[in-house]
Amino acid sequence: MAQIEIRDVSVDYKRPNSEETFTAVDGINLSIEKGSFVTIVGSSGCGKSTLLLALAGLIPYAKGAITVDGKTVTAPGPDRAMVFQDASLLPWRSVHGNVRFGLELRRWRRDDLDQRVTRFVHMVGLGSFADYHPHQLSGGMRQRVNIARALAVDPDVLLMDEPFGALDAQTREVMGDELLRIWERDKKTAIFVTHAIDEAIFLGDRVVVMGKNPGHIREIVEIDLPRPRTSAMLDSPAFIAYRQKLRDYIAADMASLQMVKDVA
Amino acid sequence: MTRVFYRHQALLSGLISFAVILLVWQLVVDLGFVKAFFLSTPTRMATEFMRQLKTGEIAANLSISLYEFAVGLGLAIAAGGVCGVLASWSRTLEAIFEPFVWFTYSSPTIAFYPMFIAWLGLGAPTIIAIAFLFAVTPIYANTLSGIKNVDQDLTRAALSFGARKTDLFIKIALPGSVPILVAGLRLAVGRALTGVVAAELFGATAGLGFAIAYYGQKLKTTEMMVNLVLIVICGVICTQILSLLEAATDKWRTGPGR
């Protein structure tokens, strides 16, 4: 059995101010091996973030089962850590204090707590900004803190919900490189949600393509590019072929929706 | 010299305008444009201040007013704070407290003064009750809204790290609502002071407001205005202390540091 098993999972959402529910994702089956990097792409509204939140234990799922190392996911647990799209940093705490926050919540009682915080702040390249507060940092720096906070609690699985979604293209590439550099060290299982196709190919061992209405897995594409990945690969024929393939899948999904609309 | 001037420009300008007003005040009376009965003068008030200081009048009035103010405000902070926190946890409690908030915000509380005298007698307890009623609502309302309007993204992030309810309260809700709590405190301080003075004006046996009413009825302008100035000074000192508190709790906005 793989480290993460998602079996026939569907997630229902209650519409605001009514008893009516609608199905956000349905019939999801996915196995993720320990130490692999899986990216999930799809157009907005395909439920990719919903699936990730269910995996994090932050929202309940209606049907099926999610297990991590054989244990059923019902709530957030120490085996998983989440990186959010908005950095969700405490504005009144410094970089150091924010990385410490995750450890405090996990009841990390060891003497080396502050040393550990310092180590992870350095790891994401913010050594000289440890005393800065979030409002004094750029968007990319805030995401570095976000990532350091998640890594510091030493999770088995790192869940990332469009962490670079709000960054400009250049910063985004740099952050992708950095993320891989950090990930290569101890190869924690990583699940990364994005709507950027290039990012999904560049980072992932596998790319999961999701479709809409309700959210479902459309295709899973193995990315057979050597590691460590470099930005030169972005222009390689293999990369371009993957890009084309993924675009076609997503376009096909959009087109099928369009037809439904036309018929209606 | 010019550098010293620029650095303290705001303070110096304020002091100069204040001095000019005092001087004009003194002159319009001394030169006979306005009768001293209507305005008194700074010098007369200084002399009268020294007299009231010597007789112990000021010490007595100031201490009773400050005592009433401190107890009224303290009770308001305790009750408003506790009720605000409880209401932020329970919608039912919030609904129960709601009519009292409308009541104290929209009615002229001071009109209930005769009833308080009937219940608590003429003296400190009544004045404390009025000050309490004046101050409790902003403390309650700001505590409630500060804790209720906690950033949902921060809460979700904390929950993903396994935060418990107490963590959410102590590490997110409380520090996150400091600015609005301080704003509530600022309102409450002003209202408590108003409550004390207004209640003392209506009927009391001691206090700065009582002294104003007493000398006012005897048409002793100078004696009255000495007490009026004392109240103003109390108000200024209170708001300055609050500004310091605000700056201390807001330090992280202005510079690096844990």
Side-chain angles (χ1 to χ4, degrees):
Chain A
M1 205 165 77
Q3 185 184 27
I4 300 173
E5 292 285 353
I6 301 173
R7 283 286 153 262
D8 202 30
V9 162
S10 67
V11 178
D12 291 345
Y13 265 129
K14 209 185 214 171
R15 284 192 204 279
N17 305 320
S18 89
E19 292 299 303
E20 221 183 318
T21 58
F22 72 102
T23 306
V25 296
D26 194 28
I28 302 286
N29 282 292
L30 187 63
S31 299
I32 297 168
E33 294 297 333
K34 198 175 173 65
S36 69
F37 201 124
V38 172
T39 54
I40 304 177
V41 284
S43 49
S44 29
C46 71
K48 51 194 192 298
S49 292
T50 302
L51 181 60
L52 200 72
L53 288 173
L55 194 45
L58 287 170
I59 54 173
Y61 44 94
K63 270 192 295 186
I66 301 178
T67 57
V68 176
D69 287 318
K71 280 176 293 186
T72 305
V73 168
T74 53
D79 49 350
R80 284 152 291 145
M82 180 105 183
V83 177
F84 295 91
Q85 175 172 10
D86 56 279
S88 305
L89 304 177
L90 301 177
W92 54 87
R93 284 204 185 198
S94 64
V95 167
H96 184 98
N98 267 290
V99 175
R100 203 176 194 278
F101 184 57
L103 290 164
E104 288 171 16
L105 293 178
R106 287 278 161 91
R107 301 290 188 274
W108 200 279
R109 288 260 177 262
R110 287 175 226 173
D111 308 332
D112 65 343
L113 195 143
D114 277 302
Q115 261 172 294
R116 185 174 175 85
V117 171
T118 304
R119 186 151 67 83
F120 282 86
V121 169
H122 275 271
M123 187 199 267
V124 295
L126 291 178
S128 47
F129 294 94
D131 289 341
Y132 281 61
H133 284 85
H135 70 104
Q136 299 165 313
L137 305 176
S138 68
M141 289 159 98
R142 283 201 281 269
Q143 285 303 345
R144 286 167 191 262
V145 181
N146 195 0
I147 291 169
R149 181 177 63 186
L151 287 173
V153 300
D154 195 25
D156 299 326
V157 180
L158 193 58
L159 306 169
M160 291 170 278
D161 185 14
E162 299 196 43
F164 309 147
L167 305 181
D168 61 81
Q170 286 77 24
T171 312
R172 210 172 172 138
E173 270 188 36
V174 173
M175 293 296 289
D177 278 337
E178 287 269 296
L179 179 62
L180 282 186
R181 175 182 64 81
I182 293 165
W183 175 77
E184 302 267 0
R185 290 176 162 198
D186 45 14
K187 296 224 170 173
K188 290 183 184 303
T189 312
I191 303 173
F192 187 103
V193 167
T194 176
H195 58 256
I197 294 175
D198 279 14
E199 194 171 65
I201 304 166
F202 183 73
L203 296 172
D205 294 319
R206 276 193 301 163
V207 178
V208 177
V209 184
M210 287 186 68
K212 287 204 234 195
N213 281 16
H216 60 281
I217 293 180
R218 202 172 172 92
E219 295 289 341
I220 297 176
V221 179
E222 299 279 337
I223 304 297
D224 199 13
L225 293 171
R227 292 194 186 267
R229 305 259 166 94
T230 62
S231 48
M233 289 179 192
L234 289 168
D235 300 314
S236 69
F239 198 98
I240 292 167
Y242 285 129
R243 183 190 291 153
Q244 193 57 53
K245 199 167 168 185
L246 288 170
R247 265 193 196 155
D248 289 345
Y249 288 141
I250 292 173
D253 184 58
M254 306 281 263
S256 67
L257 287 177
Q258 195 59 50
M259 270 160 62
V260 171
K261 254 190 207 153
D262 289 347
V263 171
Chain B
M1 185 61 208
T2 40
R3 259 200 21 226
V4 174
F5 177 77
Y6 280 117
R7 197 182 313 155
H8 303 288
Q9 198 178 9
L11 183 64
L12 273 176
S13 308
L15 282 177
I16 290 168
S17 81
F18 189 64
V20 168
I21 286 169
L22 285 184
L23 190 68
V24 171
W25 181 2
Q26 184 77 38
L27 286 178
V28 292
V29 176
D30 281 356
L31 296 177
F33 292 109
V34 180
K35 282 186 180 163
F37 172 73
F38 292 113
L39 265 188
S40 187
T41 59
T43 48
R44 278 167 221 233
M45 283 164 60
T47 319
E48 174 59 19
F49 173 78
M50 292 314 290
R51 188 192 69 79
Q52 289 191 18
L53 201 62
K54 278 206 193 95
T55 60
E57 224 173 299
I58 285 178
N61 286 330
L62 190 63
S63 61
I64 185 78
S65 286
L66 285 182
Y67 163 75
E68 290 157 351
F69 167 75
V71 176
L73 181 67
L75 288 174
I77 292 173
V82 168
C83 291
V85 169
L86 291 177
S88 74
W89 287 338
S90 150
R91 281 194 178 277
T92 317
L93 272 180
E94 191 189 343
I96 289 171
F97 292 144
E98 192 73 18
F100 295 97
V101 174
W102 297 338
F103 171 77
T104 51
Y105 256 153
S106 50
S107 66
T109 319
I110 194 71
F112 291 82
Y113 189 58
M115 289 174 70
F116 280 102
I117 291 185
W119 296 337
L120 300 169
L122 190 68
T126 301
I127 294 161
I128 289 169
I130 291 281
F132 170 82
L133 271 187
F134 265 67
V136 72
T137 327
I139 298 274
Y140 166 79
N142 283 35
T143 307
L144 173 62
S145 79
I147 293 173
K148 254 179 72 170
N149 297 332
V150 58
D151 188 331
Q152 288 307 309
D153 288 333
L154 292 183
T155 305
R156 196 182 57 169
L159 286 175
S160 82
F161 285 100
R164 301 169 196 174
K165 269 210 149 181
T166 49
D167 291 324
L168 294 181
F169 181 67
I170 291 167
K171 295 188 187 216
I172 297 181
L174 269 191
S177 43
V178 162
I180 193 166
L181 293 182
V182 175
L185 196 58
R186 188 183 267 281
L187 277 172
V189 164
R191 287 172 63 104
L193 199 61
T194 311
V196 166
V197 173
E200 284 179 350
L201 281 174
F202 271 89
T205 50
L208 293 174
F210 163 75
I212 289 175
Y214 176 79
Y215 286 121
Q217 279 157 11
K218 291 190 151 189
L219 305 179
K220 292 192 164 182
T221 314
T222 307
E223 286 82 346
M224 182 197 77
M225 284 185 66
V226 165
N227 288 284
L228 188 63
V229 168
L230 279 173
I231 290 171
V232 171
I233 292 172
C234 286
V236 170
I237 290 174
C238 283
T239 44
Q240 287 309 306
I241 290 173
L242 277 168
S243 297
L244 289 178
L245 181 68
E246 224 160 21
T249 55
D250 232 22
K251 234 183 208 154
W252 59 268
R253 273 187 222 279
T254 48
R258 260 157 227 177

